[in-house]
Short mmCIF file of all heavy atoms in Angstrom, two decimals:
data_model
loop_
_atom_site.label_atom_id
_atom_site.label_comp_id
_atom_site.label_asym_id
_atom_site.label_seq_id
_atom_site.Cartn_x
_atom_site.Cartn_y
_atom_site.Cartn_z
N GLN R 1089 106.96 82.40 118.24
CA GLN R 1089 105.76 83.16 117.89
C GLN R 1089 104.65 82.16 117.62
O GLN R 1089 104.89 81.11 117.00
CB GLN R 1089 105.98 83.98 116.61
CG GLN R 1089 106.85 85.18 116.81
CD GLN R 1089 108.32 84.85 116.74
OE1 GLN R 1089 108.70 83.71 116.55
NE2 GLN R 1089 109.14 85.85 116.88
N SER R 1110 104.53 94.26 125.83
CA SER R 1110 104.76 93.53 124.59
C SER R 1110 105.47 94.47 123.62
O SER R 1110 104.89 95.48 123.19
CB SER R 1110 103.43 93.07 124.00
OG SER R 1110 103.56 92.86 122.60
N THR R 1111 106.71 94.13 123.26
CA THR R 1111 107.45 95.02 122.35
C THR R 1111 106.81 95.02 120.97
O THR R 1111 106.80 96.04 120.29
CB THR R 1111 108.94 94.63 122.29
OG1 THR R 1111 109.05 93.22 122.18
CG2 THR R 1111 109.69 95.12 123.49
N GLY R 1112 106.23 93.87 120.56
CA GLY R 1112 105.53 93.82 119.27
C GLY R 1112 104.35 94.79 119.27
O GLY R 1112 104.15 95.54 118.31
N ASP R 1113 103.56 94.81 120.37
CA ASP R 1113 102.42 95.74 120.45
C ASP R 1113 102.91 97.19 120.44
O ASP R 1113 102.29 98.06 119.83
CB ASP R 1113 101.61 95.51 121.75
CG ASP R 1113 100.74 94.27 121.67
OD1 ASP R 1113 100.63 93.68 120.57
OD2 ASP R 1113 100.17 93.88 122.71
N LEU R 1115 105.60 98.36 119.02
CA LEU R 1115 106.03 98.70 117.65
C LEU R 1115 104.82 98.87 116.74
O LEU R 1115 104.79 99.80 115.93
CB LEU R 1115 106.97 97.62 117.10
CG LEU R 1115 108.33 97.50 117.80
CD1 LEU R 1115 109.11 96.30 117.27
CD2 LEU R 1115 109.15 98.77 117.61
N ARG R 1116 103.81 98.01 116.89
CA ARG R 1116 102.62 98.14 116.04
C ARG R 1116 101.89 99.46 116.34
O ARG R 1116 101.36 100.10 115.44
CB ARG R 1116 101.68 96.93 116.23
CG ARG R 1116 102.14 95.70 115.44
CD ARG R 1116 101.17 94.54 115.55
NE ARG R 1116 101.22 93.92 116.85
CZ ARG R 1116 102.11 93.00 117.23
NH1 ARG R 1116 103.02 92.58 116.36
NH2 ARG R 1116 102.11 92.49 118.44
N VAL R 1132 110.89 96.39 108.73
CA VAL R 1132 111.55 95.22 109.33
C VAL R 1132 110.51 94.16 109.67
O VAL R 1132 110.70 92.97 109.40
CB VAL R 1132 112.31 95.66 110.61
CG1 VAL R 1132 112.98 94.48 111.27
CG2 VAL R 1132 113.32 96.75 110.30
N MET R 1133 109.39 94.58 110.26
CA MET R 1133 108.38 93.63 110.73
C MET R 1133 107.72 92.91 109.56
O MET R 1133 107.52 91.70 109.61
CB MET R 1133 107.31 94.35 111.55
CG MET R 1133 107.80 94.80 112.90
SD MET R 1133 106.72 96.02 113.62
CE MET R 1133 105.50 95.02 114.41
N GLY R 1136 109.62 90.17 108.41
CA GLY R 1136 109.88 89.12 109.41
C GLY R 1136 111.26 89.25 110.05
O GLY R 1136 111.77 88.27 110.61
N GLY R 1137 111.88 90.45 109.97
CA GLY R 1137 113.21 90.64 110.57
C GLY R 1137 113.11 91.13 112.00
O GLY R 1137 112.03 91.15 112.60
N LEU R 1138 114.26 91.51 112.57
CA LEU R 1138 114.28 92.03 113.94
C LEU R 1138 114.73 93.49 113.94
O LEU R 1138 115.69 93.85 113.25
CB LEU R 1138 115.27 91.23 114.81
CG LEU R 1138 114.87 89.81 115.22
CD1 LEU R 1138 115.97 89.20 116.09
CD2 LEU R 1138 113.54 89.79 115.95
N VAL R 1139 114.05 94.31 114.73
CA VAL R 1139 114.45 95.72 114.90
C VAL R 1139 115.76 95.72 115.70
O VAL R 1139 115.99 94.82 116.52
CB VAL R 1139 113.32 96.48 115.63
CG1 VAL R 1139 113.72 97.91 115.95
CG2 VAL R 1139 112.04 96.47 114.78
N MET R 1144 115.53 98.71 120.55
CA MET R 1144 114.64 97.95 121.43
C MET R 1144 115.00 98.14 122.90
O MET R 1144 114.12 98.28 123.75
CB MET R 1144 114.69 96.44 121.07
CG MET R 1144 114.19 96.11 119.70
SD MET R 1144 112.60 96.84 119.27
CE MET R 1144 111.53 96.23 120.54
N ASP R 1165 106.96 90.41 127.08
CA ASP R 1165 106.51 89.54 125.99
C ASP R 1165 107.20 89.99 124.70
O ASP R 1165 106.94 91.10 124.22
CB ASP R 1165 104.98 89.70 125.91
CG ASP R 1165 104.36 89.00 124.71
OD1 ASP R 1165 105.06 88.21 124.06
OD2 ASP R 1165 103.16 89.24 124.46
N GLY R 1166 108.11 89.18 124.19
CA GLY R 1166 108.78 89.55 122.94
C GLY R 1166 110.11 90.23 123.18
O GLY R 1166 110.79 90.64 122.23
N PHE R 1167 110.50 90.38 124.41
CA PHE R 1167 111.79 90.97 124.78
C PHE R 1167 112.30 90.24 126.03
O PHE R 1167 111.52 90.04 126.95
CB PHE R 1167 111.63 92.46 125.09
CG PHE R 1167 112.94 93.17 125.38
CD1 PHE R 1167 113.62 93.84 124.39
CD2 PHE R 1167 113.49 93.14 126.67
CE1 PHE R 1167 114.82 94.47 124.65
CE2 PHE R 1167 114.70 93.77 126.93
CZ PHE R 1167 115.37 94.44 125.91
N PRO R 1168 113.56 89.85 126.10
CA PRO R 1168 114.58 90.00 125.07
C PRO R 1168 114.40 88.97 123.96
O PRO R 1168 113.80 87.93 124.16
CB PRO R 1168 115.87 89.76 125.85
CG PRO R 1168 115.48 88.85 126.97
CD PRO R 1168 114.08 89.20 127.32
N ARG R 1169 114.96 89.30 122.80
CA ARG R 1169 114.90 88.38 121.66
C ARG R 1169 116.29 88.00 121.18
O ARG R 1169 116.43 87.16 120.30
CB ARG R 1169 114.17 89.07 120.52
CG ARG R 1169 112.81 88.44 120.19
CD ARG R 1169 112.26 89.18 119.03
NE ARG R 1169 111.12 88.65 118.39
CZ ARG R 1169 109.87 88.96 118.68
NH1 ARG R 1169 109.57 89.68 119.74
NH2 ARG R 1169 108.89 88.51 117.93
N GLN R 1173 120.28 91.84 123.93
CA GLN R 1173 119.12 92.43 124.63
C GLN R 1173 119.02 91.85 126.05
O GLN R 1173 118.71 92.58 127.00
CB GLN R 1173 117.82 92.14 123.87
CG GLN R 1173 117.69 92.90 122.56
CD GLN R 1173 116.38 92.62 121.82
OE1 GLN R 1173 115.45 92.04 122.36
NE2 GLN R 1173 116.32 93.04 120.56
N ARG R 1238 97.32 89.57 111.17
CA ARG R 1238 98.46 90.48 111.20
C ARG R 1238 99.17 90.49 109.85
O ARG R 1238 99.26 89.46 109.20
CB ARG R 1238 99.45 90.03 112.29
CG ARG R 1238 99.08 90.53 113.65
CD ARG R 1238 99.89 89.91 114.75
NE ARG R 1238 101.31 89.71 114.45
CZ ARG R 1238 102.20 89.36 115.37
NH1 ARG R 1238 101.83 89.17 116.62
NH2 ARG R 1238 103.45 89.18 115.05
N ASP R 1240 102.17 90.56 109.27
CA ASP R 1240 103.38 89.72 109.26
C ASP R 1240 103.06 88.26 109.57
O ASP R 1240 103.93 87.50 109.94
CB ASP R 1240 104.44 90.28 110.22
CG ASP R 1240 103.96 90.37 111.66
OD1 ASP R 1240 102.74 90.17 111.90
OD2 ASP R 1240 104.79 90.60 112.55
N ARG R 1249 110.49 84.26 110.61
CA ARG R 1249 110.54 84.55 112.05
C ARG R 1249 110.92 83.31 112.84
O ARG R 1249 111.67 83.38 113.81
CB ARG R 1249 109.18 85.09 112.54
CG ARG R 1249 108.91 86.45 111.98
CD ARG R 1249 107.92 87.32 112.73
NE ARG R 1249 106.81 86.72 113.38
CZ ARG R 1249 105.56 86.69 112.88
NH1 ARG R 1249 105.31 87.18 111.69
NH2 ARG R 1249 104.59 86.19 113.58
P1 AMP J 851 105.77 90.02 118.11
O1 AMP J 851 104.45 90.67 118.23
O2 AMP J 851 106.45 89.82 119.44
O3 AMP J 851 105.74 88.76 117.29
O4 AMP J 851 106.72 91.06 117.32
C1 AMP J 851 106.42 91.44 116.01
C2 AMP J 851 107.68 91.94 115.30
O5 AMP J 851 108.18 93.09 116.00
C3 AMP J 851 108.84 90.97 115.29
O6 AMP J 851 108.74 90.03 114.23
C4 AMP J 851 110.02 91.92 115.13
O7 AMP J 851 110.11 92.38 113.80
C5 AMP J 851 109.61 93.10 115.99
N1 AMP J 851 110.08 92.96 117.39
C6 AMP J 851 109.31 92.80 118.51
N2 AMP J 851 110.07 92.70 119.62
C7 AMP J 851 111.36 92.78 119.20
C8 AMP J 851 112.62 92.71 119.86
N3 AMP J 851 112.71 92.51 121.19
N4 AMP J 851 113.73 92.84 119.11
C9 AMP J 851 113.68 93.03 117.77
N5 AMP J 851 112.52 93.09 117.08
C10 AMP J 851 111.36 92.96 117.77
#
Side-chain angles (χ1 to χ4, degrees):
Q1089 286 84 0
S1110 156
T1111 44
D1113 284 351
L1115 293 174
R1116 281 183 287 277
V1132 179
M1133 288 164 85
L1138 287 181
V1139 175
M1144 296 312 302
D1165 173 11
F1167 184 95
R1169 247 183 170 92
Q1173 290 181 13
R1238 276 170 40 170
D1240 59 350
R1249 291 202 325 259

